[in-house]
Amino acid sequence: MDLVQTEIPEGFTRSAGGGHTEEYYLNMGPQHPSTHGVLRLMVRLDGETVKEIVPHIGYIHRSIEKMAESQSLIQNIHLTDRLDYLSCHMTNLGLCLAIEQGADVGVPERAEYIRIIVCELQRIQSHLLWWGCFAMDLGALTAFLYGFDEREKITDLFEELCGARLTMNYFRPGGCVSDLPNEFIPRILKICEHMKTTLDEYDNLVSKNMIIRERTQGVGILSKERALSHGCTGPVARASGINYDVRKDEPYGIYNRFDFDVPLGATGDCYDRYTVRIEEMRQSIRILEQACKDLPDGDFRSKEKPNYKIPKDEHSFSSVETARGNFSTYVVSDGGKTPYRIKYRSPNFSHIGAINDMASGYKLADLVTVLATLDPVIPDIDR
Amino acid sequence: MTTPDQHQDTPPQNRPQSRPQNMGAFTPEAQAEDTCTKPSFYAYFIKRPIVGAFSLLTGMGITLKTLCNVTSTVTQEYPENRDTLTMPPAFRGQVIMPHDEEGEHKCTACTLCEKACPNGTISVLPMKNIANKKVLGKYIYRFDQCTLCSLCVEACPFDAIRMGNDFEHATVDKDSLVMVLNEKEGRL
Ligand code: SF4
Ligand code: SF4
């Protein structure tokens, strides 16, 4: 039997064995703990050095965009929970903003503040989960438990707010489902205060740890040009030095009223992606403190309607910054009860395309590091 | 085989070695202590192991502190604390139809909840009572299909249904998940 495979598998630029008989193909996933879901990476290896990576996606495709065409706009909100399940408040908000734009719905002042507070809490929650999983992928189980401990406090808040811990379904066009429960704001401020000391502890535990540093610094570099051409957004792009944050550049809601910085990295390696996310948590705490201070009284939702209709041939578009990057929603209406077409643009899809640029040339263990710092959410890629 | 490998046949050269400047706790002092990328003999063989060992000890100190701090215990002994465990009032467990003391529910069989449900979980089967008025016959709820979105509860104009707080739904019989929520037909 011919042991050297001469046929090039789909997606690869060169066959294994072409001059290098040590080269071979390896499947990482679809069931692999560090791919964070059902993602399959096909890798061409030379010994332990990664030469080329071809990601295969679609293992949990649920055709949510097609399903959207048979559901009313309100019913679609609970489907957006199932895209990026760690940023579901933000994805809910994305669709709600698009509906508000198309159906011309106003939002009360208090609801705008509630939205900001809830979204920033969710960003911290998502980054805490990422922080724990990142450390676990690199072999530090303690940090995983610490991250989940803090995350639990925020998840408990969400459970009291909207009754769910993961699939929130909390925002509606024109506001939110319910008002904040009693004693919510003092508890958020307490968490903020606690998080500040916890983040310093995290720095001592993981960021300054020599093993973590040696495994992340100078590994998985994504240059600014490649990040731009792949359409990377969010922390991945900012770590490569691209100063783009939807909250700053195209402010939605009332983000332009808050004072916060956009952390940037210099080299675009794994350590930069790490530090950018840690710093983003600190900036979210800053936003939370400002929003909690200014939270006005009033309605939490403008006049409720059983369904919202977007006029015929109206196109509405919104972009929000999820914990992973730019999440955009594009709604086309034919004037009926259900949308004619909804298109979601998810940040993770672009990031997974850039993985060949990031991880090829490094060792196989570094591929796990790169994947951990990308923070992919597979249902968001496949939809 | 003829296609050139555009990517990384040789390891990437000119990899930038600098670190981002001054981000949060990553102060310039902390940066100066960062010896990983400096190739000199002193930095690599003397300072690096010392700084590295110190960083590991700092981390161990944190874990030791947490280990000794009994107040930091967050684990809940779940099946044992079942009696004291309460869910927040907003918790979305499953759709229930509350009945008052006389066993009456508030549903008028208007089917608004059925229309609001995104996946056909609810079937409202109306019937005619003696006065030829439309009343509720059977309120069928298929829990195995429900996504717990609470859109039906929001749609109900009479507050006849709400989301319950029960969360232990495991069962070995799938048929038991299809339930009739109203205790008796009709309404006063
Ligand atoms: S909670 Fe949602 S899915 Fe379940 S019955 Fe109500 S509307 Fe349908
Ligand atoms: S539960 Fe409420 S919405 Fe559903 S049929 Fe009864 S009264 Fe109407």
Side-chain angles (χ1 to χ4, degrees):
Chain A
M1 208 177 108
D2 189 6
L3 284 176
V4 179
Q5 192 179 2
T6 44
E7 200 179 302
I8 306 179
E10 198 186 344
F12 285 92
T13 56
R14 235 184 62 181
S15 142
H20 302 268
T21 42
E22 312 94 333
E23 285 195 358
Y24 59 101
Y25 298 107
L26 186 80
N27 259 322
M28 187 167 149
Q31 297 295 337
H32 190 281
S34 75
T35 56
H36 295 235
V38 275
L39 172 69
R40 172 176 161 221
L41 297 173
M42 213 173 163
V43 193
R44 179 158 62 85
L45 288 169
D46 181 3
E48 217 185 315
T49 310
V50 175
K51 289 288 181 179
E52 200 174 355
I53 305 159
V54 175
H56 288 253
I57 59 170
Y59 283 89
I60 46 166
H61 182 75
R62 294 147 298 165
S63 62
I64 281 187
E65 285 176 13
K66 184 71 191 165
M67 228 190 284
E69 293 166 18
S70 61
Q71 311 238 317
S72 73
L73 288 167
I74 289 277
Q75 288 171 345
N76 261 307
I77 296 172
H78 92 290
L79 287 180
T80 59
D81 286 342
R82 273 98 183 149
L83 300 174
D84 186 348
Y85 53 80
L86 291 176
S87 318
C88 49
H89 278 311
M90 284 92 124
T91 49
N92 283 180
L93 182 59
L95 182 59
C96 288
L97 287 174
I99 299 173
E100 278 158 18
Q101 193 192 54
D104 211 4
V105 183
V107 185
E109 185 84 356
R110 184 178 170 86
E112 294 273 25
Y113 274 90
I114 294 178
R115 285 178 170 187
I116 303 281
I117 290 173
V118 170
C119 283
E120 290 308 315
L121 268 180
Q122 174 111 67
R123 193 182 313 279
I124 297 176
Q125 188 219 36
S126 168
H127 282 347
L128 280 173
L129 186 135
W130 158 80
W131 182 80
C133 292
F134 163 81
M136 194 180 66
D137 282 349
L138 267 64
L141 186 71
T142 316
F144 175 75
L145 299 175
Y146 284 19
F148 266 70
D149 177 16
E150 289 306 315
R151 179 178 181 268
E152 185 68 19
K153 290 175 186 151
I154 301 177
T155 316
D156 279 346
L157 277 186
F158 284 156
E159 195 175 9
E160 254 168 69
L161 176 69
C162 51
R165 298 165 71 85
L166 204 63
T167 51
M168 314 295 185
N169 192 20
Y170 178 60
F171 295 144
R172 290 285 180 276
C176 326
V177 171
S178 57
D179 206 352
L180 297 180
N182 293 335
E183 293 296 306
F184 202 71
I185 296 296
R187 284 174 65 191
I188 293 176
L189 290 175
K190 214 173 123 201
I191 286 182
C192 288
E193 208 50 50
H194 183 66
M195 276 298 297
K196 283 182 199 160
T197 53
T198 324
L199 283 175
D200 291 342
E201 207 171 66
Y202 287 179
D203 282 340
N204 286 329
L205 187 66
V206 169
S207 324
K208 290 180 185 163
N209 186 303
M210 197 55 128
I211 301 169
I212 300 270
R213 285 194 162 205
E214 299 228 335
R215 283 198 61 185
T216 52
Q217 288 183 341
V219 168
I221 292 174
L222 182 67
S223 67
K224 197 172 177 174
E225 294 72 35
R226 294 308 292 167
L228 266 181
S229 70
H230 278 293
C232 293
T233 47
V236 175
R238 290 195 280 276
S240 298
I242 300 168
N243 192 352
Y244 173 73
D245 187 323
V246 186
R247 293 175 292 169
K248 273 271 190 229
D249 295 318
E250 306 148 41
Y252 53 94
I254 49 166
Y255 267 113
N256 46 10
R257 295 189 201 167
F258 298 105
D259 177 30
F260 64 99
D261 297 328
V262 179
L264 290 182
T267 57
D269 61 3
C270 288
Y271 195 69
D272 279 359
R273 288 194 279 279
Y274 174 88
T275 46
V276 161
R277 285 206 177 89
I278 292 278
E279 186 56 26
E280 259 185 31
M281 284 198 249
R282 291 200 168 87
Q283 299 302 332
S284 290
I285 293 173
R286 268 178 76 190
I287 300 177
L288 272 176
E289 285 176 339
Q290 294 168 42
C292 289
K293 202 169 106 252
D294 298 343
L295 180 72
D297 288 334
D299 291 337
F300 59 87
R301 186 169 180 183
S302 58
K303 197 171 170 305
E304 199 175 322
K305 282 192 216 163
N307 197 9
Y308 293 83
K309 268 189 195 164
I310 298 184
K312 190 168 168 22
D313 293 334
E314 186 95 22
H315 298 197
S316 50
F317 176 80
S318 75
S319 284
V320 292
E321 177 85 14
T322 71
R324 280 155 202 81
N326 179 338
F327 177 87
S328 303
T329 316
Y330 187 54
V331 185
V332 182
S333 173
D334 58 358
K337 258 175 76 177
T338 57
Y340 178 71
R341 173 92 165 91
I342 293 188
K343 165 75 186 147
Y344 299 112
R345 182 246 181 244
S346 72
N348 290 295
F349 183 72
S350 317
H351 295 166
I352 221 69
I355 195 163
N356 187 30
D357 276 309
M358 276 185 244
S360 53
Y362 300 92
K363 298 278 185 257
L364 184 59
D366 295 333
L367 173 59
V368 175
T369 316
V370 169
L371 208 55
T373 54
L374 276 186
D375 191 15
V377 168
I378 312 300
D380 192 28
I381 302 173
D382 284 348
R383 297 200 283 288
Chain B
M1 223 179 290
T2 49
T3 334
D5 189 344
Q6 308 127 331
H7 293 290
Q8 315 276 351
D9 237 299
T10 52
Q13 276 142 19
N14 305 328
R15 273 185 200 152
Q17 297 288 316
S18 66
R19 305 249 54 76
Q21 292 302 307
N22 192 15
M23 300 194 338
F26 304 88
T27 52
E29 297 84 63
Q31 305 274 325
E33 280 178 21
D34 172 13
T35 54
C36 300
T37 50
K38 290 181 194 138
S40 83
F41 178 84
Y42 164 72
Y44 197 79
F45 288 106
I46 299 176
K47 200 172 171 195
R48 180 169 157 271
I50 294 172
V51 172
F54 187 72
S55 76
L56 293 186
L57 286 177
T58 320
M60 300 250 186
I62 292 172
T63 46
L64 196 67
K65 213 174 84 195
T66 316
L67 181 71
C68 300
N69 183 3
V70 268
T71 56
S72 71
T73 311
V74 287
T75 315
Q76 294 192 14
E77 313 262 334
Y78 161 56
E80 285 84 25
N81 72 350
R82 219 184 203 150
D83 299 332
T84 53
L85 198 65
T86 49
M87 301 312 277
F91 181 75
R92 307 205 297 256
Q94 76 180 80
V95 177
I96 54 170
M97 185 177 276
H99 288 66
D100 62 14
E101 297 87 54
E102 283 102 55
E104 293 293 339
H105 53 77
K106 291 189 198 150
C107 180
T108 58
C110 66
T111 71
L112 279 180
C113 54
E114 191 182 328
K115 289 187 191 110
C117 181
N119 42 25
T121 301
I122 296 171
S123 295
V124 179
L125 306 178
M127 60 175 243
K128 292 263 164 64
N129 67 359
I130 311 163
N132 211 15
K133 210 175 137 238
K134 192 171 96 172
V135 290
L136 179 65
K138 260 188 187 158
Y139 193 96
I140 297 172
Y141 170 61
R142 301 177 192 86
F143 189 37
D144 49 347
Q145 253 172 268
C146 181
T147 54
L148 303 173
C149 63
S150 99
L151 284 175
C152 51
V153 178
E154 274 167 50
C156 179
F158 304 101
D159 289 334
I161 44 174
R162 65 177 182 85
M163 302 303 280
N165 284 3
D166 190 16
F167 61 93
E168 292 166 325
H169 298 305
T171 174
V172 288
D173 179 16
K174 189 165 172 281
D175 292 340
S176 71
L177 294 174
V178 180
M179 349 179 174
V180 177
L181 291 190
N182 56 325
E183 280 168 13
K184 63 179 185 191
E185 295 175 347
R187 181 168 176 261
L188 275 186

